[in-house]
Amino acid sequence: MIREIVNFTQDLVKDLPDIQFRNTKPSNGLHIFIEIDPEGNWKNKAGRYGIDYVFYDGENEGNALLSECIKHENCGKRVGTTMNKVLCKKKQIFSCSPFLVSFKKKSFTNDKLEGNGCQKITNLFPSYFNNAQATCLKDTDETEKQLSTTFQQICEEAIRQIDDFSIPQLQKDGSIIQVSAFEAMKDDFYVTLYLKNISLEKYKEAHENYLKEKLFNDNAYNNEKHITNETYGLSNFLNGLNAKKPFFEHKTAMFHKGISGRIQLKDAIALNQFEILLSHKVLPNPLPIVVDNRELNTEIVKLFNSEEEPVPYKELLRKLFEQSHKDYSYLPNFYLIHYSKVKEIKINDFDFVPLFLFYLENDNKVYNYMQAGSVKDKIFTPFSNDELATVFDFEKIVVRKIFNNSLIKINSNTYPANYFGDIDPAYV
């Protein structure tokens, strides 16, 4: 199934490149773009709101600069939901790029009385930027390294002047005043600074180099020291390291240093993208991945995201068969993955379905083999063809009745299914 997920993700990103940014929002807080002039000075020091910097609190989504924040911030995201893979040894800086730096307001102290201004966080910059440059940049990227070093120095200056970044605030009397964005921030909001002189493609290259070093669970199990896209290693995708726990080890697979099931880096990158897409809720749940049918997989994802609210699974398949593929009556050879997310993605169940028939046969009969109830005939036809035309009609009418409303429950115009949770004993 790993191969199918990898192929599915790689094809989907090529066919629908914007899917990576759908349902993605910038971090809450202050976002500042730093531009450096040819002499190494801070060119846009007197920043303009909405052009050089912007404030986001989860509601003000009208500013065009926010879309740039999303694209650039995604190129500095750490691997996983913990701080184990960050480039800051003190784990106070959340970004992982030499071209941006991001930290929470509560991570530094602004001691204005002593004139030390935000020294707690700026003291971490030399180590962070050195680590970021060594991890994310190549030896030949001299220009980028120099810009990153200059960017570090200007970031320290910008933080000392953090109160100068003002934002418009609406008052009760309808008037608008300028207030410090930093003072308006909550403690868990972020300050994020971006190097404007670097293209988005360079941001992506730097982040890909970071992923090469950090995506594998442990680089000690790689098949070569210099990591390339072809390097085999221990996947970090929903996978723990059980080398020191022999009772958790697989005993029936090929091993390398006691580890089975290694994958290539290019596949690990695709699995990381897949996990991100799941967390952004841009894929159906449950998710059908049709084997060797790129066009159909793309069509399913497009239909799911065709409206402002995600299309429910039943309605998604109904649209697929009745609107997109009117002459298509079945779905062949697909994996069905059910997942959930609390703090991190969890795969609850997956099945392989060789054939899914959408339309039922015209002659609908129900066989009463046990001769239950008052009807003694073994065959009777309580439904018309119009009532029982598709498999979902069968689910809504027959399955609900057979299982006494424990699997299918009618709620207004919807009928939610409970195939993956526990059944209430009251219905058994």
Side-chain angles (χ1 to χ4, degrees):
M1 188 185 71
I2 292 296
R3 173 47 51 193
E4 280 69 31
I5 292 177
V6 168
N7 292 342
F8 167 81
T9 306
Q10 291 173 339
D11 292 340
L12 185 65
V13 171
K14 290 178 183 177
D15 294 342
L16 303 173
D18 289 341
I19 198 70
Q20 301 171 85
F21 306 111
R22 185 176 175 85
N23 293 348
T24 306
K25 297 181 180 180
S27 297
N28 287 335
L30 180 61
H31 298 261
I32 305 169
F33 283 83
I34 300 291
E35 186 173 4
I36 302 172
D37 67 18
E39 286 73 37
N41 300 313
W42 186 1
K43 184 177 180 180
N44 57 342
K45 186 174 183 179
R48 297 160 294 174
Y49 184 77
I51 298 176
D52 299 306
Y53 71 96
V54 68
F55 180 75
Y56 182 69
D57 60 3
E59 297 181 1
N60 55 322
E61 299 183 357
N63 194 287
L65 190 59
L66 290 175
S67 62
E68 292 302 312
C69 295
I70 292 171
K71 293 176 182 178
H72 287 76
E73 190 177 22
N74 279 348
C75 294
K77 292 285 188 182
R78 68 190 189 277
V79 170
T81 56
T82 68
M83 297 292 282
N84 294 333
K85 300 278 188 171
V86 295
L87 301 177
C88 175
K89 294 181 180 179
K90 297 290 185 180
K91 300 183 178 181
Q92 295 296 312
I93 298 177
F94 288 74
S95 54
C96 296
S97 170
F99 307 137
L100 69 94
V101 59
S102 181
F103 47 87
K104 289 185 178 181
K105 177 180 178 180
K106 63 183 179 183
S107 294
F108 66 95
T109 302
N110 191 358
D111 191 353
K112 296 179 181 178
L113 295 177
E114 297 184 10
N116 292 329
C118 310
Q119 190 171 4
K120 182 178 179 181
I121 195 71
T122 56
N123 284 345
L124 300 176
F125 279 6
S127 174
Y128 166 75
F129 277 96
N130 285 338
N131 197 9
Q133 290 174 17
T135 303
C136 304
L137 299 179
K138 302 175 183 177
D139 294 337
T140 55
D141 294 333
E142 290 297 332
T143 302
E144 288 76 11
K145 287 181 181 179
Q146 183 59 49
L147 281 170
S148 175
T149 300
T150 306
F151 175 60
Q152 171 194 333
Q153 298 166 356
I154 296 179
C155 283
E156 295 176 4
E157 180 183 355
I159 291 171
R160 289 193 294 269
Q161 302 174 21
I162 197 70
D163 284 331
D164 292 346
F165 295 93
S166 61
I167 58 174
Q169 188 177 81
L170 181 65
Q171 303 300 296
K172 293 182 179 179
D173 61 0
S175 62
I176 296 177
I177 64 172
Q178 295 293 319
V179 300
S180 165
F182 182 75
E183 293 297 329
M185 289 169 57
K186 298 178 182 178
D187 282 345
D188 61 347
F189 277 25
Y190 291 84
V191 174
T192 306
L193 301 103
Y194 308 89
L195 177 54
K196 193 172 182 178
N197 300 66
I198 297 294
S199 68
L200 186 60
E201 287 304 314
K202 283 292 182 181
Y203 268 83
K204 292 178 180 178
E205 288 179 17
H207 195 238
E208 286 175 0
N209 290 332
Y210 160 76
L211 293 177
K212 288 180 181 179
E213 294 292 330
K214 301 297 182 180
L215 264 184
F216 286 134
N217 206 316
D218 191 324
N219 287 337
Y221 300 95
N222 297 350
N223 69 327
E224 50 192 23
K225 292 183 179 180
H226 180 65
I227 302 176
T228 68
N229 281 336
E230 312 303 320
T231 301
Y232 279 90
L234 179 61
S235 171
N236 194 44
F237 175 70
L238 304 177
N239 186 27
L241 180 58
N242 296 321
K244 297 181 180 179
K245 301 175 182 178
F247 289 103
F248 285 112
E249 286 184 358
H250 296 286
K251 301 299 184 182
T252 58
M254 295 180 64
F255 286 89
H256 177 80
K257 297 182 181 180
I259 293 297
S260 65
R262 294 178 307 145
I263 63 173
Q264 289 182 303
L265 175 66
K266 58 186 178 182
D267 294 338
I269 292 174
L271 292 176
N272 182 62
Q273 289 179 317
F274 178 71
E275 193 168 0
I276 292 172
L277 293 176
L278 292 182
S279 66
H280 289 173
K281 298 181 179 180
V282 296
L283 301 179
N285 191 16
L287 168 65
I289 297 181
V290 186
V291 179
D292 297 329
N293 198 323
R294 175 176 180 172
E295 180 183 351
L296 195 52
N297 286 326
T298 301
E299 182 66 22
I300 289 172
V301 176
K302 286 174 64 176
L303 283 173
F304 179 72
N305 293 282
S306 61
E307 301 178 9
E308 289 189 10
E309 292 295 324
V311 179
Y313 182 68
K314 296 184 184 68
E315 184 61 25
L316 172 68
L317 291 184
R318 191 181 296 278
K319 283 187 173 185
L320 181 68
F321 291 115
E322 294 181 348
Q323 297 179 20
S324 301
H325 294 270
K326 294 182 179 179
D327 298 327
Y328 200 58
S329 61
Y330 64 92
L331 202 61
N333 298 327
F334 65 96
Y335 287 94
L336 189 64
I337 303 174
H338 182 266
Y339 62 94
S340 59
K341 179 187 177 184
V342 182
K343 291 184 178 181
E344 56 187 21
I345 292 295
K346 178 183 178 183
I347 301 296
N348 299 319
D349 186 56
F350 67 89
D351 295 288
F352 179 75
V353 183
L355 182 66
F356 174 81
L357 294 172
F358 179 69
Y359 294 104
L360 300 181
E361 304 217 354
N362 292 330
D363 187 15
N364 298 319
K365 294 183 176 66
V366 175
Y367 295 81
N368 185 13
Y369 281 110
M370 306 302 294
Q371 297 187 11
S374 59
V375 180
K376 299 303 180 181
D377 295 334
K378 288 186 176 181
I379 301 177
F380 60 102
T381 55
F383 312 110
S384 69
N385 291 336
D386 292 336
E387 290 177 309
L388 216 58
T390 72
V391 68
F392 291 133
D393 297 332
F394 175 82
E395 178 187 57
K396 180 179 179 180
I397 298 171
V398 180
V399 173
R400 180 175 66 90
K401 186 71 174 176
I402 290 175
F403 290 94
N404 194 27
N405 295 331
S406 60
L407 294 181
I408 307 297
K409 299 178 181 179
I410 300 296
N411 181 12
S412 184
N413 292 326
T414 64
Y415 55 103
N418 182 34
Y419 293 122
F420 299 100
D422 296 329
I423 296 178
D424 189 339
Y427 290 94
V428 178

